[in-house]
Amino acid sequence: MIGVLDLQGDVVEHIDHLERLGISSKRVKKTSDLKGIKGLIIPGGESTCLARLMKLNGIDRAIMELHGQGIKFWGTCAGAIILARNIIGEKSHVPLIDIDIERNGFGSQLDSFATEALIPDVSPQPLTLIFIRAPKIRRCGPGVKVLLAIEDYIAAAEDESILVTAFHPELTPASDFHAYFARKCGLEIKGERRDLPPWSSTSWTRLARVA
Ligand code: GLN
């Protein structure tokens, strides 16, 4: 089972992808929800807001304690900022992966964009990458593998227990990153479910109830 931190940001879009792969998921709102999960996705949103909510209910400390006990973490965009050891010019939040990250590295919301890239570790096909007021990973430490570098920044990286992406795979039709993370968590992928309507930019709305 994979948990998705459900405090703020694009939670159901991740759950939609996990469901499509036949991976069971759980919304994580409080520390007791962390029980029994093999991995935790920290979604995109706003890192300052997420960090504040995590601190309020002690999830930040619980994650620090769980780290190194076999559980894996994946931070997308704001989630990557949360997990970075060094946020350039700011205080870090849950400093677990040895990267330097620069918030809003491309500029304002209006500088958001989509592009395509081949990430051979993750998929044999080029993937669509969506950057929304995204950060730039500026440096990876010795134990961190670069999965994708573009121009002057790193867009995806990982260490033994943490995956970080500056972009949003959950906002695209491809489930490759979710499959990659599930395998990192040691989970078996049962294959695309055919009983769900095909992915569309609004297919997650079936999940968008308040839990
Ligand atoms: N700009 C946001 C931050 O600094 C991240 C944006 C996102 O998650 N798409 O937290």
Side-chain angles (χ1 to χ4, degrees):
M1 173 156 349
I2 290 182
V4 183
L5 186 67
D6 184 6
L7 298 177
Q8 190 261 336
D10 62 340
V11 176
V12 282
E13 292 85 342
H14 280 290
I15 294 176
D16 185 15
H17 272 290
L18 294 171
E19 272 193 0
R20 287 172 192 284
L21 290 169
I23 307 275
S24 54
S25 62
K26 180 181 190 178
R27 297 175 191 228
V28 172
K29 283 185 180 290
K30 48 190 190 310
T31 51
S32 57
D33 297 330
L34 292 162
K35 236 193 188 146
I37 59 170
K38 295 262 188 280
L40 179 70
I41 297 176
I42 304 182
E46 183 60 36
S47 55
T48 44
C49 173
L50 265 168
R52 221 177 253 213
L53 295 171
M54 288 170 82
K55 199 172 179 172
L56 272 178
N57 63 15
I59 288 203
D60 55 348
R61 268 187 294 125
I63 289 176
M64 291 296 282
E65 278 161 27
L66 279 176
H67 179 249
Q69 294 181 26
I71 178 166
K72 312 291 180 186
F73 299 93
W74 175 17
T76 54
C77 204
I81 297 167
I82 293 285
L83 293 168
R85 201 172 284 174
N86 180 31
I87 307 168
I88 295 168
E90 294 182 34
K91 215 172 133 267
S92 58
H93 305 297
V94 187
L96 290 178
I97 181 165
D98 186 10
I99 57 171
D100 295 349
I101 201 162
E102 179 189 354
R103 288 184 68 205
N104 307 329
F106 299 88
S108 76
Q109 192 79 7
L110 292 175
D111 300 302
S112 301
F113 63 99
T115 185
E116 270 199 0
L118 186 67
I119 310 172
D121 288 280
V122 177
S123 174
Q125 316 291 339
L127 296 171
T128 301
L129 313 178
I130 297 182
F131 292 83
I132 304 174
R133 203 155 61 88
K136 284 183 173 176
I137 300 169
R138 290 297 195 181
R139 182 198 65 91
C140 287
V144 180
K145 179 179 175 183
V146 173
L147 294 172
L148 177 66
I150 308 174
E151 294 163 6
D152 64 340
Y153 63 96
I154 296 156
E158 68 177 344
D159 69 10
E160 157 96 36
S161 56
I162 298 180
L163 172 65
V164 281
T165 51
F167 48 87
H168 291 268
E170 73 285 5
L171 300 182
T172 72
S175 292
D176 302 69
F177 259 99
H178 291 82
Y180 185 74
F181 182 61
R183 286 195 296 272
K184 191 176 174 78
C185 296
L187 296 169
E188 197 193 318
I189 292 146
K190 305 211 175 71
E192 286 277 335
R193 268 174 56 180
R194 303 208 183 276
D195 54 323
L196 294 175
W199 187 92
S200 75
S201 57
T202 55
S203 57
W204 53 270
T205 53
R206 76 182 189 287
L207 301 160
R209 65 196 151 74
V210 177

